[in-house]
Amino acid sequence: MSIHSLTLRTFHPARLSAVTLAIAAAMVPCVATAQTAEQATGDDVEKIMVTARKRTESIYETPTAVSSIGEGIIDDTNVTNLDDVGKYVPNLNISRYGAGNSGHAAVFIRGIGLQDHIITTDPGVGVYLDGVYLGRQMGANMSLPNIQRVEVLRGPQGTLYGRNTLGGAVNIITKAPGSQDLATVAAKVGTRGRLATDLYVNKDINDDFSVSGTASFKQRDGVGTAVNLEDPEREIGEENEYSGRIAAKYVVSSDFSVTVSADFVENEAGQSPYTIEFIPGGPEQFSIDDGEFYLLEPSLIPNDPDDLGTTVAGIESTAYSGWGAALTAEWTATDNLDVKFLASKRASDYEGGLDDDASPLNLSEFPETGDADQTSLELQLNGTFDNFDFVSGLYYFTEEGTTASGPWTFSPFNVPNGRLNDGTPVTEVCSFCGDYGFFDINQETTAYAAYGNISYSLTDKLNVGGGLRYSRDEKDADALFPSFGERAFRSVDFSEVTWDVNAGYNLTDDLNMYLAVQKGYQTGGFPPRPFGGPAQFVSFDETTAINYEVGFKGAIGDRVTFMSAFFLTDYTDLALPFSDPQAGGGFVTIVENAGESRSQGVELELTVDVTDNFVVRSSVGFLDAEITSLDEGVVGIGEGDAPALSPKWTLMIAPTYFHELNDGALVSASVDFSFRDEMQGQSVFNPYETIDARELVGFNVSYEPAAGDWSLSLYGKNVFNEIYDQGRLAQNGYVGIVRSNDRSEFGLRFTKSFDLY
């Protein structure tokens, strides 16, 4: 008996609403969907389906480590954006540093990721929306209305997903139009000025044409203020966002269908909470002539670390906007062959920036803007025969983007007349220091790929498979920095063959194991901030990884379902941020190939039906990641150091209790606890860049009447108001700290569903 039937056998399936089914489905550790009553009441754990390998298959038979967060968890455990998903998946960590913009999401899996957002750097974990790769980390921290599930694949995904999935991939899958004929309205009101509303409509216009749409709005007050600005545009940490999505599906014939979709987001927010801490023994002041000039006086830093001391108007505000359109055509060519074509166009732009000294001294201020436009095309030929199936495809991707900053100030020796006390010009100490400078960096990327993956059933119990992919990337970049003299132009191309082999074996009807070896690939690029001059604006090589993994998945008895993975991954030419001694006095951190790294660990996701009405979900991840060798000339990093943003332990536990009242109404109560161990804020080891461990607790209590067409929930998020660091970066004598924005929040959420006829 599966977890689904154990959860629901007390209640008659005929009266269960979509909301109840979603809550029930949320009790599965790796939720697939809450689409149908058949999935929610079936007796087979293998009806939990995912599309992680671009084919629909049981999550318990997929020969890779994958977690799936379904709409039950999204709706009922206060998951509102991608950042929240990081609480529920082992060895997944999602952080934000980029330009103080809350739309930024640096996704790290098993110690691999890259938190820089500049156009010339690519992420180490790929994020996909309905199969479309999102090329930028800025904007990846998207809100999650109208979401069916989020699948997180851990480990290199070089065959089916290709470039920039070195650590893994995150698939965001929306609800498809059709087959529901309903409308749902949700409204939320809470502390800190929280207001939010979502409208979802799904309707079959006729037998051949269906549409769906979502409109969403959310806002929340800030957590701090820009104390030195007379009329700040935004409070620090303020939220204000509109988003929408529409999709239509036309069934041309029984063999051919076309789905088109379009989405947008407009976000105007306050800068992420930002403060500094002084490094003991660091240079806090310099003697200038007969007096003293304080590099950074502690009294200038606001007492409340959520306040900002800047005097630069506009730097307290951020903005992000984006839109996308996609077309998916599916053709059943024969009984055994399917053809799928996916085309997409996406565009985004943002505003942000940091006052690095968080004070009125104008030592280091970088207002920033950026934009990116991308186009992708993918053609798949997929087949299923008696003993095997395959997925194959051709892929094309192009992107153009810009990052610009100005007017900026960078003067760690901010002294009268631009000279030190001995008369030495500051520019002789720091070649790129100055007031009111500008820089911009542009890049155009074109990528091509061809891939194939096959799975073959040798016996009823044993399946083997493998895949191969060829990828090629061409990058053209140009940059102009104050130290350049004239614009510098660079071109580079990369190519790589990636592969995987795997085997899966059914130990029993309810228990499976798999073995997998995977090669992944992250494209190379150009350093994001070559302040030191044109000689620093040179390309770094691609990074590759080989992952060895064994996993066990399935059910033990009637009340326990689980998934586990044991892995070891070797990374070569690992791209890391580190301090370049030639970068103008060592003040600049650039990205370059630094050496080799190894990660090994264990992941476990477990669900236990303690009773018919009490279920406990949990997950735990252990990660031992270290840099094993360094290239010549790399400083600031030591062999044995852990890569950035790689907590050793990740933990989640979420008990839920259901109770049916005498009148047939359903009450559910859940608590969720999430833990992320301490980690290094940057790969450049500095004890003052260590991010402390964090513990987050939330709860949700819901009431649903017997009719099942509405629900009311009392929720609490981060109930103990844990304030934690998102990122830490050592400056000259102090550490810049981007702090968390998800503070304690309590409120009510009301949801009402309407049948559409």
Side-chain angles (χ1 to χ4, degrees):
M1 185 176 293
S2 75
I3 180 65
H4 291 304
S5 58
L6 286 169
T7 302
L8 297 177
R9 66 186 183 187
T10 307
F11 313 108
H12 196 282
R15 76 158 201 85
L16 292 175
S17 71
V19 174
T20 305
L21 295 178
I23 294 174
M27 297 305 100
V28 184
C30 300
V31 183
T33 70
Q35 283 185 306
T36 64
E38 178 185 2
Q39 284 179 311
T41 60
D43 289 333
D44 187 355
V45 296
E46 295 182 357
K47 287 187 179 180
I48 302 170
M49 311 302 288
V50 293
T51 54
R53 295 199 302 157
K54 299 189 178 183
R55 48 167 73 83
T56 301
E57 58 188 345
S58 163
I59 196 171
Y60 294 101
E61 292 185 341
T62 304
T64 190
V66 56
S67 301
S68 185
I69 307 298
E71 63 176 314
I73 289 180
I74 292 172
D75 290 341
D76 297 295
T77 57
N78 311 312
V79 171
T80 59
N81 52 35
L82 189 63
D83 190 18
D84 289 331
V85 174
K87 303 174 184 177
Y88 294 95
V89 179
N91 286 332
L92 169 66
N93 188 55
I94 300 178
S95 184
R96 296 185 294 101
Y97 198 103
N101 195 306
S102 60
H104 178 252
V107 184
F108 282 67
I109 297 178
R110 295 180 177 177
I112 290 298
L114 193 64
Q115 61 179 318
D116 212 318
H117 61 283
I118 302 298
I119 189 66
T120 54
T121 57
D122 290 315
V125 173
V127 178
Y128 295 78
L129 176 63
D130 287 334
V132 174
Y133 173 68
L134 306 182
R136 295 294 101 205
Q137 294 187 126
M138 191 64 72
N141 190 31
M142 60 180 59
S143 299
L144 299 177
N146 188 27
I147 300 300
Q148 185 180 78
R149 66 187 183 275
V150 178
E151 298 177 354
V152 180
L153 292 83
R154 301 185 297 277
Q157 304 297 321
T159 300
L160 290 174
Y161 291 90
R163 60 197 294 272
N164 302 333
T165 55
L166 193 71
V170 177
N171 286 327
I172 301 170
I173 301 166
T174 65
K175 299 175 186 176
S179 304
Q180 289 186 301
D181 283 342
L182 64 83
T184 302
V185 178
K188 180 189 291 185
V189 59
T191 57
R192 302 187 186 275
R194 169 65 72 193
L195 290 174
T197 183
D198 298 309
L199 171 64
Y200 171 66
V201 178
N202 199 327
K203 173 68 176 174
D204 288 324
I205 305 301
N206 54 44
D207 291 341
D208 302 323
F209 186 63
S210 305
V211 296
S212 66
T214 299
S216 180
F217 163 74
K218 66 178 182 179
Q219 71 174 28
R220 195 202 67 182
D221 294 341
V223 297
T225 59
V227 296
N228 292 321
L229 296 179
E230 291 185 5
D231 188 21
E233 184 177 348
R234 299 285 175 187
E235 293 182 336
I236 304 302
E238 179 182 343
E239 293 181 0
N240 189 12
E241 181 179 288
Y242 300 85
S243 62
R245 179 180 177 85
I246 188 169
K249 181 177 182 179
Y250 180 51
V251 180
V252 180
S253 68
S254 60
D255 299 326
F256 183 62
S257 66
V258 177
T259 301
V260 294
S261 64
D263 61 85
F264 81 95
V265 61
E266 290 286 342
N267 182 295
E268 295 181 356
Q271 183 190 112
S272 297
Y274 180 83
T275 189
I276 70 167
E277 291 179 1
F278 289 97
I279 296 175
E284 293 185 13
Q285 63 186 35
F286 293 88
S287 176
I288 304 299
D289 296 327
D290 295 330
E292 286 186 338
F293 174 81
Y294 285 90
L295 173 66
L296 187 56
E297 187 175 353
S299 63
L300 295 174
I301 307 304
N303 292 326
D304 185 344
D306 286 333
D307 290 339
L308 188 65
T310 185
T311 54
V312 180
I315 211 165
E316 84 287 359
S317 301
T318 69
Y320 171 79
S321 63
W323 65 269
L327 180 148
T328 303
E330 298 178 279
W331 175 42
T332 303
T334 70
D335 291 340
N336 302 108
L337 294 175
D338 297 322
V339 178
K340 182 176 182 179
F341 176 70
L342 178 60
S344 175
K345 173 72 175 177
R346 301 196 67 83
S348 64
D349 60 79
Y350 72 91
E351 298 177 2
L354 290 177
D355 186 334
D356 283 342
D357 56 78
S359 78
L361 284 183
N362 303 324
L363 299 176
S364 179
E365 294 150 350
F366 288 86
E368 184 178 290
T369 61
D371 61 76
D373 297 278
Q374 68 171 66
T375 301
S376 63
L377 304 171
E378 185 170 5
L379 178 65
Q380 293 182 11
L381 175 64
N382 307 322
T384 301
F385 295 87
D386 290 339
N387 293 324
F388 74 93
D389 64 79
F390 70 90
V391 176
S392 63
L394 300 173
Y395 180 73
Y396 169 81
F397 172 88
T398 184
E399 178 189 60
E400 295 182 5
T402 299
T403 304
S405 180
W408 56 263
T409 300
F410 188 84
S411 298
F413 305 100
N414 192 3
V415 297
N417 302 316
R419 294 179 179 271
L420 301 181
N421 60 333
D422 62 359
T424 302
V426 171
T427 54
E428 291 187 12
V429 181
C430 177
S431 62
F432 55 88
C433 293
D435 295 329
Y436 308 114
F438 292 84
F439 72 78
D440 68 82
I441 186 166
N442 309 288
Q443 181 172 274
E444 180 178 350
T445 298
T446 304
Y448 313 87
Y451 64 89
N453 183 277
I454 189 170
S455 179
Y456 184 77
S457 298
L458 288 174
T459 69
D460 291 341
K461 290 181 174 293
L462 178 62
N463 294 275
V464 296
L468 197 67
R469 186 184 188 108
Y470 172 77
S471 302
R472 179 177 176 82
D473 294 90
E474 301 170 354
K475 294 187 175 184
D476 298 304
D478 62 85
L480 180 61
F481 282 70
S483 57
F484 278 29
E486 61 182 7
R487 185 172 294 276
F489 296 86
R490 302 286 188 267
S491 295
V492 68
D493 58 77
F494 309 96
S495 62
E496 193 67 45
V497 175
T498 51
W499 48 265
D500 75 277
V501 293
N502 59 76
Y505 187 76
N506 300 329
L507 297 170
T508 68
D509 290 341
D510 296 323
L511 183 61
N512 306 300
M513 72 168 293
Y514 69 88
L515 298 168
V517 183
Q518 305 154 304
K519 180 180 180 180
Y521 158 66
Q522 180 177 359
T523 181
F526 298 95
R529 297 174 186 84
F531 281 105
Q536 204 179 67
F537 189 43
V538 295
S539 63
F540 56 89
D541 295 333
E542 65 268 26
T543 301
T544 58
I546 303 292
N547 180 60
Y548 308 90
E549 185 168 305
V550 57
F552 298 88
K553 306 180 181 183
I556 301 176
D558 291 339
R559 294 188 176 272
V560 177
T561 56
F562 79 101
M563 297 196 301
S564 62
F566 306 83
F567 63 90
L568 184 150
T569 314
D570 287 317
Y571 302 92
T572 303
D573 288 329
L574 186 65
L576 293 173
F578 72 98
S579 294
D580 186 341
Q582 299 179 358
F587 294 114
V588 170
T589 299
I590 66 172
V591 177
E592 197 165 304
N593 302 106
E596 298 182 352
S597 172
R598 166 171 288 188
S599 66
Q600 53 193 346
V602 181
E603 296 157 348
L604 174 65
E605 296 171 274
L606 181 70
T607 294
V608 179
D609 283 1
V610 181
T611 69
D612 291 348
N613 301 326
F614 181 47
V615 181
V616 178
R617 293 177 295 111
S618 60
S619 70
V620 61
F622 171 76
L623 176 66
D624 179 17
E626 65 175 0
I627 297 167
T628 55
S629 67
L630 292 171
D631 293 343
E632 184 178 353
V634 175
V635 298
I637 306 174
E639 292 185 10
D641 289 349
L645 300 176
S646 304
K648 178 163 288 190
W649 290 97
T650 56
L651 175 68
M652 183 278 294
I653 183 168
T656 301
Y657 179 75
F658 294 98
H659 179 67
E660 186 178 25
L661 303 179
N662 292 333
D663 62 356
L666 180 66
V667 175
S668 63
S670 63
V671 176
D672 58 275
F673 169 83
S674 172
F675 172 79
R676 292 296 181 268
D677 208 350
E678 73 173 20
M679 64 192 95
Q680 189 68 16
Q682 302 287 326
S683 295
V684 181
F685 180 75
N686 184 318
Y688 304 106
E689 291 181 337
T690 300
I691 295 175
D692 291 337
R694 69 173 186 261
E695 301 172 347
L696 302 177
V697 178
F699 71 85
N700 194 82
V701 180
S702 296
Y703 171 84
E704 181 185 329
D709 59 348
W710 63 269
S711 67
L712 180 66
S713 300
L714 171 68
Y715 74 88
K717 189 172 181 178
N718 191 4
V719 297
F720 297 112
N721 198 33
E722 178 88 356
I723 300 174
Y724 55 93
D725 298 342
Q726 288 276 0
R728 297 175 70 96
L729 178 62
Q731 310 284 348
N732 187 36
Y734 59 93
V735 179
I737 305 166
V738 173
R739 293 156 61 84
S740 61
N741 196 32
D742 58 335
R743 304 303 172 80
S744 61
E745 182 179 317
F746 304 89
L748 295 172
R749 183 175 185 268
F750 177 77
T751 302
K752 171 69 174 176
S753 296
F754 304 88
D755 291 326
L756 301 177
Y757 299 104

